[in-house]
Amino acid sequence: MRDIFWILAVVLVAGMTAVSSSAQEVVVEDGAVTFVSGGIGSESVERMAALAGRFNLKLVFATQGGSYLADVNVRIDDTRGNKLLDTVSDGPWLLVRMAPGRYRIRAIFDATMVERWATVPAGGRSDLILRWQAAVD
């Protein structure tokens, strides 16, 4: 009986660790680009805000009415058309660190693409809000 108690305790602790770690945003390094996405819920927004100073491009995804969006397909290309990032945002914020320069950003939500150009500075950060007309409004 005592062994069963300890096994259940270990399983419970392991399960709690898995839940808490899955709720954390993960910073991903992909070649010359580092990125993290999130921003669903107040705790995630706080964590993303704390990370934001380490990145030089911030993308925010929303509808024209102001509702935030997640599961946005994002592709960032350099001026020659070379793909630097191709990901799906886990939340309305996508923070990116990349070399200073000019980049084309294409984001798709609900089969609708929004395209913008961004200039990433050598110091500081470029912030862009990408907006869609969407049924969620």
Side-chain angles (χ1 to χ4, degrees), residues 49-130:
L51 289 170
R54 297 172 31 196
F55 296 86
N56 56 6
L57 177 63
K58 176 183 175 184
L59 304 177
V60 178
F61 311 113
T63 65
Q64 292 291 345
S67 298
Y68 290 111
L69 301 173
D71 299 321
V72 177
N73 293 292
V74 181
R75 178 176 168 144
I76 300 177
D77 296 335
D78 64 18
T79 55
R80 293 186 174 134
N82 298 311
K83 178 177 65 174
L84 301 175
L85 179 64
D86 193 356
T87 190
V88 177
S89 182
D90 294 329
W93 286 22
L94 178 64
L95 303 173
V96 184
R97 183 173 53 243
M98 55 196 341
R102 187 157 165 78
Y103 298 96
R104 180 169 55 182
I105 300 162
R106 288 183 276 180
I108 299 172
F109 177 77
D110 198 24
T112 302
M113 183 172 67
V114 172
E115 184 174 335
R116 299 272 302 269
W117 284 88
T119 300
V120 173
R125 186 180 66 226
S126 180
D127 295 352
L128 294 176
I129 299 175
L130 289 80

Side-chain angles (χ1 to χ4, degrees), residues 16-40:
M16 287 172 37
T17 302
V19 169
S20 66
S21 66
S22 67
Q24 299 290 322
E25 292 73 20
V26 177
V27 177
V28 177
E29 292 187 32
D30 186 9
V33 176
T34 301
F35 68 96
V36 60
S37 64
I40 296 178

